[in-house]
Amino acid sequence: DLRTTVSGMGLPVIVKAVSGGGGKGMRRVDDLDDLSTAVAAAAREGAAAFGDDRLLIERFVTAPRHVEIQVAGDTHGGATHLFERDCSIQRRHQKVVEEAPSPALDPGLRERMGAAAVALVEQVGYTNLGTVEFLLDTSGDGDSFFFLEMNTRLQVEHPVTELVTGLDLVGCQLDIAAGGRVPERPDSPSGHAIEVRLYAEDVPAGFLPQTGTIVDFAIPGGVRVDSAVAAGSVVSSHYDPMLAKVVAHGADRETARARLAAALDDAAVTGVVTNLDHLRAILGSDAFRDGGFTTSFLPDHLPDWHPTPPARVTVAAATAAMALDSLAGAVPREDPWTALGPWRGSRSGGWSLDWPQVGRATATTTPDGIRVHFDDDAAVDVARDGDPSPGSPDARRHVRVDGEAVAIRAWRDGDHVWVARSGHGSQRVDVPAVVAHRDASMAAGDAALTAPMPGQVLQVEVAVGDKVSGGQTLVIVEAMKMEHPVVAPGDGVVSEVRATPGDAVGSGDVLVVLHADGDEEATP
């Protein structure tokens, strides 16, 4: 029976949908007692995704590299290969990084694998370009390989082959279709090429696909960018989340790697969450530099990866962007407190936010823009270029740190701020809880605390007449599936409570009014 056959093959095995691809309809089996469950699940996925519930079972290679051979066949009986690509870095069995040639192949192994792929093309009389994919077993002598599948089409990663062969593979397809012959292969690959796939996905959330509208899409020159998106493009849930292929070529692998890493460092892709920082982490890892990885690269070397916490200069830019956005959107009113939206203070006073890992950042106005102070007395000056409208992607800030000018784009987008910093890529910074702040230079008086953004009042923690201290939570507003506490700017007495749990509130709606001097109780 099936158990006996699989037992004879040796565990582990992999159960795969015959018509499958992209990791769908695949189950690894390490214990015979799990075989029936894996077979049923793989069959269901195969039927649902491909209309075919047929399965095959193979021995599972525990330390494989994914190496594929670019092949071509013509109507004259001609067949050739155009070297290999290494596609071992994957998530959910889908490729993330591809390169040519493979760091794992020497000329002898390259010829053996190429010959096997060409033999398949000749055997079936294949006409067109295609890809024969293999698993290369890195255990033992490291030169055993096994047929995986053949893709009878041009693949996403074909640019790396174009860059190391000098061939236009789309042109080759057209030539063959018109009755021409397969292209002449160079004696050896020319240099090295590496490609990364830029996805709209949240990596820490399990590579969850993301949607939204792209605000900024800028990848510097010196690399090849194949993409169908631009600023203003809508990323929907109806298509694959890949946004672009970014490819670099160099005389050797390290040159190509460094060139690609530099391009990603200077890239600005904002408006939708992407894997840009994750790609930078891959290219910068010692394991990638060494080249000795397998298809388990991500769980082996970046198992719990999270974006690097924002640097102080990034936090300063985000804080300033929010302050400037608040000022630009402020409507003059008789009450100066409610005129400033979620920020508290006066234009000569300050506004504060508590940022995780960084601490409190306090923004105060200056003749040229915003000065951001931190708890350790460090300060960063942020000058605005022009007077952009609130949330404008053209809201460029020029940040001067220790006398050095650093160009930064930063703007508010709902409950987060996008920051694009030259040399550090782009980052979405979540806005922390708003902290109402009044510095000592401000005159005593009533402080109206307002909703930081549209949402629903979740809790009201105080009543009229209550004495409160600075930093104490007064109201909690729920917005964007997150809780946003509104806290007291300093010691005082509650003089008004205008919020009730369950209320729908808009940005800037008054929730609580404090008598801010705290010297005497306020009267209702």
Side-chain angles (χ1 to χ4, degrees):
D1 62 0
L2 187 59
R3 284 176 63 98
T4 302
T5 301
V6 170
S7 179
M9 294 172 62
L11 295 171
V13 297
I14 185 78
V15 180
K16 300 168 58 179
V18 168
S19 300
K24 297 181 177 66
M26 292 176 60
R27 290 291 189 280
R28 174 177 170 171
V29 178
D30 295 276
D31 189 313
L32 285 176
D33 291 340
D34 299 328
L35 180 61
S36 60
T37 300
V39 167
R44 285 195 303 270
E45 286 187 8
F50 311 107
D52 186 350
D53 64 358
R54 294 177 300 156
L55 304 174
L56 58 87
I57 300 179
E58 300 173 338
R59 180 167 69 85
F60 186 84
V61 180
T62 56
R65 293 186 77 121
H66 184 128
V67 178
E68 59 190 35
I69 308 294
Q70 179 74 67
V71 295
D74 60 35
T75 57
H76 308 284
T80 189
H81 75 82
L82 303 174
F83 308 119
E84 81 283 354
R85 298 184 287 260
D86 196 309
C87 310
S88 299
I89 298 181
Q90 306 175 359
R91 91 284 192 263
R92 298 198 306 262
H93 303 290
Q94 295 180 343
K95 302 163 186 174
V96 178
V97 181
E98 303 101 351
E99 58 183 307
S102 169
L105 270 60
D106 58 26
L109 183 55
R110 176 174 296 117
E111 187 55 37
R112 285 176 54 212
M113 295 183 72
V118 170
L120 187 153
V121 171
E122 293 175 333
Q123 181 66 32
V124 301
Y126 181 71
T127 301
N128 192 10
L129 266 65
T131 305
V132 181
E133 302 194 356
F134 296 99
L135 284 182
L136 176 65
D137 189 351
T138 63
S139 62
D141 56 16
D143 63 356
S144 296
F145 57 92
F146 305 90
F147 174 74
L148 187 62
E149 66 178 357
M150 181 176 183
N151 285 303
T152 54
R153 55 181 171 80
L154 202 60
Q155 289 191 272
V156 170
E157 57 272 22
H158 78 273
V160 295
T161 297
E162 292 188 330
L163 291 174
V164 299
T165 62
L167 296 171
D168 176 353
L169 296 189
V170 175
C172 292
Q173 283 188 307
L174 295 175
D175 288 343
I176 290 172
R181 297 184 180 274
V182 297
E184 184 176 348
R185 186 181 78 226
D187 293 335
S188 61
S190 174
H192 203 97
I194 305 175
E195 171 183 297
V196 295
R197 300 189 185 193
L198 181 65
Y199 287 106
E201 64 184 12
D202 187 339
V203 175
F207 301 96
L208 188 68
Q210 300 292 293
T211 60
T213 300
I214 295 176
V215 176
D216 224 1
F217 188 83
I219 299 175
V223 295
R224 171 173 168 173
V225 180
D226 290 5
S227 178
V229 301
S233 295
V234 175
V235 180
S236 77
S237 60
H238 302 299
Y239 303 99
D240 186 274
M242 188 170 65
L243 303 178
K245 302 179 292 185
V246 187
V247 199
H249 180 258
D252 52 40
R253 186 172 185 268
E254 176 54 25
T255 301
R257 187 207 65 81
R259 187 167 291 161
L260 184 55
L264 297 185
D265 283 345
D266 284 335
V269 182
T270 60
V272 61
V273 175
T274 72
N275 66 333
L276 179 61
D277 282 349
H278 192 234
L279 295 174
R280 295 172 60 210
I282 292 172
L283 294 179
S285 68
D286 290 339
F288 185 81
R289 291 172 186 264
D290 293 343
F293 46 81
T294 68
T295 54
S296 63
F297 176 93
L298 292 180
D300 285 349
H301 301 289
L302 298 172
D304 299 311
W305 180 89
H306 281 77
T308 302
R312 177 165 291 187
V313 66
T314 300
V315 169
T319 303
M322 291 189 65
L324 291 171
D325 182 72
S326 180
L327 285 172
V331 177
R333 305 178 188 172
E334 183 177 349
D335 178 2
W337 290 97
T338 58
L340 295 174
W343 297 90
R344 298 295 161 259
S346 68
R347 292 177 186 253
S348 61
W351 305 262
S352 291
L353 287 178
D354 279 339
W355 296 91
Q357 292 97 27
V358 178
R360 180 171 294 190
T362 301
T364 57
T365 57
T366 68
D368 297 321
I370 298 289
R371 169 164 287 185
V372 180
H373 303 264
F374 293 92
D375 286 343
D376 60 1
D377 295 328
V380 176
D381 288 322
V382 181
R384 54 182 167 181
D385 183 7
D387 192 11
S389 59
S392 168
D394 294 325
R396 299 177 183 271
R397 325 294 181 197
H398 297 283
V399 181
R400 185 168 296 278
V401 184
D402 297 329
E404 179 182 356
V406 181
I408 284 186
R409 284 169 59 86
W411 61 94
R412 175 86 178 266
D413 182 14
D415 63 345
H416 52 264
V417 178
W418 290 101
V419 180
R421 179 184 173 197
S422 178
H424 296 268
S426 52
Q427 192 169 8
R428 189 182 76 162
V429 182
D430 291 330
V431 174
V434 173
V435 178
H437 172 72
R438 298 179 70 198
D439 62 25
S441 66
M442 294 174 58
D446 283 348
L449 308 183
T450 64
M453 60 192 67
Q456 185 177 44
V457 176
L458 192 63
Q459 295 180 30
V460 177
E461 304 285 351
V462 293
V464 172
D466 286 353
K467 290 184 177 182
V468 300
S469 56
Q472 180 179 337
T473 297
L474 308 181
V475 179
I476 298 176
V477 176
E478 184 180 45
M480 302 295 288
K481 300 180 180 179
M482 297 176 62
E483 294 184 5
H484 304 270
V486 177
V487 304
D491 297 344
V493 179
V494 178
S495 59
E496 290 185 60
V497 176
R498 302 186 188 179
T500 302
D503 286 353
V505 294
S507 179
D509 286 356
V510 176
L511 306 176
V512 175
V513 178
L514 292 182
H515 190 65
D517 62 6
D519 292 334
E520 59 184 58
E521 293 188 3
T523 56

